Amino acid sequence: MQMKFTCPDCGVQMKFDEETGGLRCPSCSRTEQTEGYEKDFIKYYHVKQLKEFGDEEARLYVCRSCGMKLVTNNRTALKECYFCGGAMTIGERLSGDLMPTGIIPFSISEKKARKAFSKWFLKVKFAPREFKVKKRDFKCHAVYLPAWLFQFRGQGEAMLHATRSKEGVDEEDKEKIIETEHYDLYRRFDLGFDRIPVCASGKIEERFLEALEPYDFSKLKEFDLYSDFGIPAEQYSLMDEKAEKRAKKRVQELMDEYLLSTGENYEEVKPVEREYQIGKAGTEYIWLPVWFVSIEPGDNEYLFVMNGQTGKVAMDPPYNPVKIFIAGGLGVTFAFLLIRIIVLLSGGSLI
Ligand SMILES: [Zn+2]
């Protein structure tokens, strides 16, 4: 940390003081407030080495119509694309490509996923008629979604300006007055950010993963090529360097939030100066369980997704805006609560 703070009394550069965890002027010994100093060093519980598939361990299938890339074990053949229903080209052997270090197993069965979808459809009061499909019309596929998981260490040093006001009475004319006290607060912290996920899928956008979150990462287990590889996974397309940039941005936002939270006892808190150092502590490449359900009502095609661990749903319900308009405010609220526009794949257009 290279931030410079000069002593308000004598103008000499103040130094960090281990004893108090605050700043001390070497000349006049003035100290700055030390509230909020955190010495919360993370215990980096596991920093994984990325692994690769060996020869004959995995195959890559590519969809001829949408370009979707799915990875399977060398015993599984895929004919139809999970996303668009297009034909898949015969899988090439994958070797030297990344193998996940961790995996979250499915807890939601296909039966449960289908049931949840039918139940949900019944609730979609504003769906166009053709959308009310029966169970057997669903195409239900389990697939793993590729994601990066980052661990960061974030160190920060900052000066905040804060105020505190109190009401009083003026001695002379007995009028009410408000006295405001101003504070300069020094903060220094060291934080650990454990599992910052970034979606590595090429077909699914980041916001899709956000809509399916949270995943319970305590259930993350080491990937076993023999017991965990019965279900295909989408091949990663976002590389770790790009994903790291996104994750770092998120960490910076979290550090800002933390910094402001250290001034909770004041009325108004503003950062005057701040400096962060964010260092990556570890990377994992993982697979997250997802159920994809596609429906083909008439000429349109829609895709629905469900978190395979928790059952949380993210989808595009094709609703009818005229019906919503007639139903008024309540209906609109209902629709907004449930609707999250996530993916529009080939042929699918929202009304
Ligand atoms: Zn496809």
Side-chain angles (χ1 to χ4, degrees):
M1 291 280 131
Q2 297 285 316
M3 268 181 100
K4 285 180 183 157
F5 297 107
T6 47
C7 174
D9 294 335
C10 51
V12 174
Q13 193 186 320
M14 297 181 87
K15 296 245 162 70
F16 180 70
D17 181 38
E18 285 292 343
E19 210 177 294
T20 58
L23 291 178
R24 185 187 289 274
C25 173
S27 164
C28 70
S29 292
R30 176 186 164 128
T31 51
E32 283 297 332
Q33 293 191 46
T34 59
E35 282 176 72
Y37 173 65
E38 293 281 324
K39 214 169 180 182
D40 184 16
F41 292 96
I42 187 180
K43 288 175 200 122
Y44 301 115
Y45 59 99
H46 51 219
V47 175
K48 298 257 166 149
Q49 201 66 25
L50 292 177
K51 287 191 261 179
E52 291 174 355
F53 284 117
D55 284 344
E56 301 287 334
E57 282 178 345
R59 282 175 189 272
L60 180 71
Y61 285 84
V62 183
C63 171
R64 282 185 219 158
S65 34
C66 76
M68 172 73 191
K69 290 178 180 169
L70 289 172
V71 183
T72 67
N73 62 34
N74 60 357
R75 302 173 304 278
T76 309
L78 291 179
K79 287 184 183 137
E80 198 185 313
C81 175
Y82 288 3
F83 286 74
C84 73
M88 301 295 272
T89 49
I90 292 163
E92 281 174 33
R93 265 178 231 161
L94 261 189
S95 60
D97 274 57
L98 282 183
M99 177 202 270
T101 41
I103 191 166
I104 292 183
F106 275 83
S107 333
I108 303 282
S109 65
E110 179 171 348
K111 202 177 157 196
K112 251 189 179 170
R114 282 179 181 272
K115 210 173 157 191
F117 275 106
S118 353
K119 214 170 144 191
W120 189 83
F121 289 141
L122 287 175
K123 283 192 195 157
V124 184
K125 300 265 195 284
F126 307 114
R129 211 156 15 112
E130 79 265 21
F131 188 61
K132 299 212 182 247
V133 285
K134 286 179 191 144
K135 260 190 226 169
R136 59 187 152 80
D137 299 326
F138 298 175
K139 276 185 191 164
C140 200
H141 293 290
V143 68
Y144 283 109
L145 209 62
W148 297 101
L149 208 56
F150 292 100
Q151 289 143 32
F152 287 97
R153 179 175 180 176
Q155 293 166 294
E157 200 173 3
M159 199 56 116
L160 298 171
H161 181 260
T163 57
R164 223 177 239 161
S165 307
K166 59 178 178 197
E167 274 187 21
V169 181
D170 190 275
E171 300 266 313
E172 279 178 26
D173 47 23
K174 305 287 175 214
E175 267 186 37
K176 253 193 190 174
I177 52 162
I178 292 172
E179 263 178 60
T180 305
E181 290 172 332
H182 292 259
Y183 299 87
D184 285 321
L185 310 174
Y186 171 69
R187 298 288 185 254
R188 185 176 151 120
F189 49 90
D190 192 337
L191 304 169
F193 298 90
D194 201 4
R195 284 157 161 168
I196 309 278
V198 176
C199 190
S201 162
K203 278 276 170 208
I204 305 297
E205 292 171 42
E206 182 63 24
R207 60 196 172 125
F208 171 92
L209 180 61
E210 279 171 20
L212 290 179
E213 274 175 354
Y215 275 95
D216 175 8
F217 288 111
S218 70
K219 298 285 185 308
L220 188 76
K221 61 175 210 106
E222 200 153 327
F223 178 73
D224 183 285
L225 190 64
Y226 301 98
S227 62
D228 295 324
F229 203 12
I231 293 167
E234 191 195 336
Q235 172 74 321
Y236 58 88
S237 81
L238 179 74
M239 289 310 293
D240 54 340
E241 294 91 358
K242 274 197 179 167
E244 189 182 325
K245 272 191 196 159
R246 280 191 214 169
K248 242 183 183 169
K249 214 174 143 235
R250 179 78 190 114
V251 168
Q252 199 157 339
E253 288 163 6
L254 290 168
M255 287 176 81
D256 279 341
E257 273 172 38
Y258 174 79
L259 179 62
L260 290 178
S261 77
T262 66
E264 266 170 358
N265 299 331
Y266 298 86
E267 273 157 22
E268 203 183 310
V269 188
K270 273 187 203 149
V272 182
E273 215 181 335
R274 61 180 184 268
E275 198 178 291
Y276 296 155
Q277 259 177 19
I278 302 172
K280 190 177 73 176
T283 312
E284 279 187 71
Y285 171 55
I286 59 159
W287 285 355
L288 302 171
V290 160
W291 280 106
F292 278 101
V293 179
S294 52
I295 304 156
E296 291 168 279
D299 293 323
N300 295 323
E301 189 173 307
Y302 302 98
L303 186 75
F304 298 84
V305 259
M306 179 187 254
N307 181 320
Q309 185 190 28
T310 64
K312 195 178 169 195
V313 169
M315 63 176 81
D316 294 337
Y319 60 90
N320 183 329
V322 178
K323 281 191 194 171
I324 284 183
F325 180 75
I326 294 167
L330 190 69
V332 175
T333 315
F334 171 77
F336 271 96
L337 281 174
L338 286 170
I339 292 164
R340 201 133 174 205
I341 297 171
I342 305 300
V343 266
L344 279 178
L345 295 161
S346 60
S349 62
L350 269 192
I351 301 158

